[in-house]
Each structure stands twice: as structure tokens, then as C-alpha cells.
Amino acid sequence: MSEASQTGFFISFEGSEGCGKSTQIRHLIESLRDAGHEPLLVREPGGTPIGEHIRHLLQHSPDNGAMTPEAELLLFAASRAQLVREKILPALAAARIVISDRFLDSTTVYQGVARKIPAATVESINRFAAGSRRPDVTFLLDLDCTEGFARLRERAHPDDKRDRMEEEPLAFYEAVRHGYLAAAQAHPDRIRVLDAAKPQAEIARAIRAELQKRSHVLFQGIRL
Ligand SMILES: Nc1ncnc2c1ncn2[C@@H]1O[C@H](COP(=O)(O)OP(=O)(O)OP(=O)(O)O)[C@@H](O)[C@H]1O
Ligand SMILES: [Mg+2]
């Protein structure tokens, strides 16, 4: 079966640390389950046994302070290559709804814009790793960086270890935020920007409304 003829519906969530991706995914999964769907949730990096090893290497390995941007890009791509083929494409072929906590745009933004690897290089590695299938819709939760950090501090337990990305200076997150907004401008049909400073319930409603609007043409209709 060609990738284009797959019948499922693919949703990704993007945005910088603490913007509320996991929170909104939890709300959406609950709504989908209440409506009788069984969505597949995956996360990046990770989502497969191989990918979870790569996630550890990227985030918490004691040696990862020495990681070069190039190695970082390739590790994210390796994790994604495994995830797409092992989990995402089979689930879409089985007409399931797939929700990914981060996907391709994270690489474009973090390794491309923020780590300054040339866009054409990132684009070509993305294409090799992920193939041609893109999310049917991407929700970008846009939030002021200092607010995102404040939320993370509130969320954190005292013994939590910050991951490597969370050690970056604020300017890195400003670049990430602007990189995401530029990606949304480049892909206005796919990426829907949401104001992540709004109350959780309001954002969740906007997400459900957007899915109802889009899914009846792309999928056999998401009931919500
Ligand atoms: N709309 C909101 N308003 C205020 N607080 C929120 C909102 N959404 C989420 N939060 C809170 O912000 C914190 C971070 O949310 P969450 O873990 O969902 O972010 P995330 O984008 O998944 O972060 P990460 O990139 O680290 O995984 C949590 O404590 C959550 O309860
Ligand atoms: Mg999260």
C-alpha cells in the first residue's frame, strides 16, 4: 500500500517545554475514548524499544554533554525512522487515529533553527527518516518562554533531573518559539497555532472543533 492511500488520521502536538502538549493530549485521548475510538499515542524521541534507548541517550546519559548537533540530529532521526515504520504506519493502515507527542517539526525547529544546522540538510534527513507521510494536522501550542519555564518549575518534583534541552539558556527557547511560528507560516494548512496561555478546557475545545472540521474529509469522521 502506498503511504498516501492510508486511511487513518495522524495528529501531532508541538511547542516548547511546558507549553501543555502532554496535558492537551490527555484531554484529547479521553474525549476520543469516550467517543469509542482507540487512539495510538506515541512520543518522540522514543515510542519503540529502540527509540526509548535513544531517548535516554539524548536526554539523560552522563556522556551527552559532549554531543554534537550533527549527532543529535541523527539520533532524533533514527528514533523517528523506527517509530514511523514500527508503529505509526501500521496503525494508520489499520485506520486508527495516531497522536504523536512531538514529531518532525521538532527536528526542523530544535536542530535546524535553534542549533543552526542548515535547513536543507535537516529537510533531507527528515525525508529519509520519516518518509513522505506527514501529520494530517499539527497543533502548535504557542507560549511565552518564561511562562513555559515557570510551569515546568511548578510541575517538577524536587528530585527531578532536568533533561539536556531544559538546561539551555532562554535565548535558545526564544529561537525555538520563533522557529515554530515560522514553520506554521510555511505550512498553514497543516499547522494550527493555539494560544497556550488560555485555560486548558478552552484549548481542548478548540482542538476538538478543529478535528471535527478536518476529519470528515480526510478520515471517515472523528466522533467527538
Ligand atoms: N493551559 C494551561 N494553563 C496553565 N497551566 C497549564 C496549561 N496547560 C498545562 N499546564 C500546566 O503546565 C505544566 C506543563 O504542562 P505539560 O506537561 O502538558 O507540558 P509539555 O508541553 O508536555 O512539556 P514537555 O515539553 O516538558 O513535555 C503542567 O504542570 C500543566 O499542568
Ligand atoms: Mg510533555
Side-chain angles (χ1 to χ4, degrees):
M1 189 198 294
S2 80
E3 291 179 17
S5 66
Q6 282 164 353
T7 50
F9 195 84
F10 184 14
I11 305 163
S12 64
F13 282 76
E14 296 281 357
S16 65
E17 280 68 15
C19 67
K21 299 178 293 298
S22 301
T23 303
Q24 287 305 323
I25 288 171
R26 272 198 300 278
H27 286 303
L28 179 59
I29 285 185
E30 199 180 306
S31 304
L32 288 168
R33 287 200 179 129
D34 286 350
H37 295 288
E38 279 182 47
L40 172 71
L41 170 63
V42 294
R43 70 171 180 181
E44 283 212 342
T48 63
I50 289 172
E52 290 295 323
H53 284 296
I54 297 174
R55 182 184 181 93
H56 176 75
L57 199 58
L58 280 162
Q59 296 189 337
H60 296 299
S61 158
D63 300 316
N64 71 13
M67 193 180 294
T68 65
E70 292 79 4
E72 181 182 280
L73 169 64
L74 291 169
L75 284 170
F76 275 105
S79 171
R80 181 168 309 126
Q82 192 68 30
L83 181 66
V84 165
R85 288 159 188 85
E86 187 177 324
K87 292 275 185 71
I88 295 179
L89 293 181
L92 292 172
R96 290 181 69 184
I97 298 170
V98 176
I99 301 174
S100 192
D101 191 336
R102 297 189 178 279
F103 194 60
L104 202 82
D105 301 303
S106 285
T107 297
T108 304
V109 169
Y110 282 77
Q111 281 71 50
V113 178
R115 298 253 194 253
K116 301 189 172 64
I117 294 177
T121 306
V122 174
E123 168 68 32
S124 113
I125 288 170
N126 271 349
R127 208 172 321 111
F128 175 69
S132 59
R133 189 64 157 91
R134 294 289 170 271
D136 296 301
V137 62
T138 296
F139 293 106
L140 169 54
L141 295 163
D142 177 53
L143 187 65
D144 180 76
C145 304
T146 45
E147 169 65 20
F149 271 110
R151 284 185 189 180
L152 284 181
R153 272 196 300 278
E154 261 175 53
R155 182 183 68 179
H157 299 288
D159 54 349
D160 259 5
K161 273 202 296 187
R162 282 148 66 97
D163 78 34
R164 203 167 48 92
M165 291 288 185
E166 291 172 18
E167 299 289 349
E168 294 290 342
L170 195 62
F172 179 86
Y173 293 97
E174 300 284 356
V176 164
R177 185 180 190 199
H178 288 110
Y180 268 129
L181 291 172
Q185 274 193 333
H187 304 283
D189 294 339
R190 174 170 64 82
I191 302 180
R192 170 77 202 275
V193 184
L194 296 163
D195 179 358
K198 294 222 166 105
Q200 287 183 24
E202 195 177 319
I203 301 169
R205 258 198 311 280
I207 289 171
R208 289 197 301 273
E210 184 72 28
L211 286 176
Q212 275 164 337
K213 199 171 76 188
R214 288 178 182 243
S215 68
H216 72 279
V217 255
L218 295 160
F219 187 48
Q220 61 265 52
I222 292 182
R223 302 176 301 276
L224 274 170

